Amino acid sequence: MDVTEVTKESWLLSTFPEWGTYLNEEIEMEQVKEKSVSIWWLGCTGIWLKTHEGTNILCDLWCGTGKRTHGNGQMKKGHQMMRMSGTEKMQPNLRTQPFVIDPFKIKDVDALVVTHIHSDHLDIHTAAAVHQNCPKAKFIGPKAVVETWLSWGIPKEKTDVVKPGDVVRVNEVEIVALEAFDRTALITHDDPDVRLKEQFPQDMDTIAVNYLFKTSGGSIYHAGDSHYSNLFAKHGNEHQIDVCLGAYGENPRGITDKMTASDLLRMAESLRAQVVIPVHYDIWSNFMADPSEITQLWRMKKDRLAYQFSPYIWQVGGKYTYPDNKQDLAFNFDRGFHDVFTQENDTPFPSFL
C-alpha cells in the first residue's frame, strides 16, 4: 500500500477498535480457577463476567461515542440533563476511552444483560454482535430495555423481561434483578415535547434494575447508574455480596448524575460487600474524576468506622478475579519482559546496557 491508497475508510478499518481482538483473545483463553470468578472492565459500566464453568455474561457493554461536533451548541430538547437543570447549552461529553474489545469478534456469550435504558448502556452495536455471533444468547433487561431490543429486531423468544425480585438462571449463574436508584433515568423520556413537571414519575422498575450475579466463585453486584440509596442496606441484608460496582464521577455544578467518593463508600458499607469498584468515571470528559480520592477517603475512615471492605481502582481492559485480587487496592497491566536475559542479548558491548 502507498499513500494514494490510504482513505478514511481504510484508516478506520485498520485502527478501530484500538485494541483489535487482543482482549477478545485474552478472555477466550482465560481458564477461571475453581471457586473464583473473573470480570473484565470494558469501559463505562460495561463488564464481561466469566465463571469457572465457562459461562460468559456481558453487562452494559457500550460501543458508541459521545459528542463528535459542536453542532449548534445547544442540548437536544428534552435531554435528561436539560430536564434536571433547565440548561440549554450543549454538555461537552466527549468519550475519553479507547474501544478495548471488538464487539463483532465476540463469541460464546451466554447472555447480554442491561441495567437500564440510557444509550451508553443499551447499545445497538452490542446487541447486533451478540445476536449474530451467539445465536443461543439470552437478552435480559427491564421492560423498556427489552422493548428497545425488539424494535431493533431481536426475536422475542431470545429475551427475558425482569423486574426487582426476579431471578433468571444462565447455566449455573443466578442473575437476581434488584431495585435501581437511578433518578436520572426517571427524567428520561423519548418525546421532547412531553412535560414531566407536576406529573407522576415513571415506574423505575420498568426502565432500570440493578443486578446481583451469583456464581460458584462469588457474587458480583452491578448498580448500573444508581445514585446512593438507603435501600442498598436492604439488598445487603437479603444477599451475600462479595464485589460491588457503582457509577462514580465528579458531578458538574447543578447536576447530580454520579455517586461521589463518599457515596461509593456508603454503598459498599450498606451492601456489606467485601470490595467496591468505581466505574463510569472513565468515559465522559465532563464527569471525569480521580478514583484515588476513594482510596484516600477510605484510609481516613476505615479504622474509625471499622470498614469491612476495601476499594479497588481498576483500569479499562483490565481483569479482576475474586477472591484472588480481594486484598489488592489497584490494578496494573502486565508490564511484560518476563523472559529478559533468558537468551543471549545482542548489543555491541556489555557497557552499552
Side-chain angles (χ1 to χ4, degrees), residues 23-298:
L23 191 58
N24 299 68
E25 296 167 32
E26 176 183 320
I27 294 170
E28 183 179 357
M29 292 186 293
E30 178 73 13
Q31 297 292 318
V32 180
K33 295 190 303 183
E34 192 173 357
K35 296 183 180 178
S36 66
V37 57
S38 292
I39 52 177
W40 289 260
W41 188 14
L42 307 179
C44 199
T45 67
I47 64 167
W48 185 307
L49 181 150
K50 187 171 185 177
T51 70
H52 159 68
E53 295 84 358
T55 294
N56 292 281
I57 296 173
L58 276 178
C59 182
D60 278 14
L61 172 58
W62 170 62
C63 299
T65 67
K67 294 292 184 292
R68 297 176 53 155
T69 174
H70 284 272
N72 64 3
Q74 299 297 302
M75 191 173 290
K76 181 181 176 183
K77 184 182 177 183
H79 189 279
Q80 54 267 26
M81 299 300 175
M82 177 182 284
R83 295 186 189 275
M84 181 186 295
S85 65
T87 186
E88 294 184 339
K89 292 184 178 180
M90 178 187 73
Q91 62 161 331
N93 57 324
L94 302 168
R95 184 182 175 117
T96 57
Q97 278 293 342
F99 290 94
V100 296
I101 198 161
D102 186 338
F104 289 95
K105 298 296 183 182
I106 283 173
K107 54 185 178 180
D108 300 326
V109 166
D110 297 289
L112 172 61
V113 181
V114 168
T115 57
H116 68 288
I117 54 173
H118 284 154
S119 58
D120 55 345
H121 303 258
L122 174 59
D123 174 52
I124 192 170
H125 308 96
T126 304
V130 172
H131 174 58
Q132 294 169 19
N133 296 357
C134 311
K136 296 182 180 179
K138 291 184 176 181
F139 287 69
I140 301 168
K143 181 175 181 287
V145 166
V146 170
E147 288 174 348
T148 301
W149 279 328
L150 296 176
S151 74
W152 291 342
I154 300 299
K156 186 175 182 179
E157 61 269 20
K158 296 182 73 169
T159 65
D160 275 313
V161 175
V162 293
K163 61 183 183 306
D166 288 345
V167 178
V168 177
R169 290 197 68 90
V170 177
N171 300 334
E172 79 293 342
V173 178
E174 271 193 7
I175 303 175
V176 183
L178 298 165
E179 294 90 349
F181 315 115
D182 184 354
R183 294 187 292 276
T184 307
L186 286 179
I187 55 171
T188 299
H189 199 288
D190 289 338
D191 188 345
D193 295 320
V194 168
R195 185 171 170 82
L196 300 181
K197 195 169 186 177
E198 298 176 354
Q199 292 191 33
F200 285 108
Q202 301 180 75
D203 182 357
M204 179 79 86
D205 294 348
T206 67
I207 60 177
V209 295
N210 293 351
Y211 291 105
L212 182 62
F213 299 95
K214 294 185 175 181
T215 80
S216 62
S219 60
I220 311 295
Y221 183 99
H222 195 300
D225 273 358
S226 286
H227 302 90
Y228 180 76
S229 171
N230 293 327
L231 285 178
F232 280 131
K234 178 176 180 287
H235 294 173
N237 288 347
E238 295 172 346
H239 302 278
Q240 177 185 329
I241 297 169
D242 296 310
V243 180
C244 63
L245 293 85
Y248 166 64
E250 197 64 59
N251 294 299
R253 178 175 176 267
I255 299 294
T256 298
D257 188 56
K258 302 290 182 285
M259 284 192 275
T260 63
S262 58
D263 291 332
L264 262 291
L265 298 182
R266 291 187 72 196
M267 178 183 76
E269 182 181 33
S270 294
L271 291 172
R272 292 176 173 166
Q274 301 295 305
V275 179
V276 59
I277 304 179
V279 291
H280 213 320
Y281 65 90
D282 65 298
I283 205 74
W284 294 128
S285 57
N286 58 332
F287 283 86
M288 186 69 68
D290 184 350
S292 64
E293 177 189 358
I294 298 167
T295 307
Q296 293 303 319
L297 193 59
W298 172 78

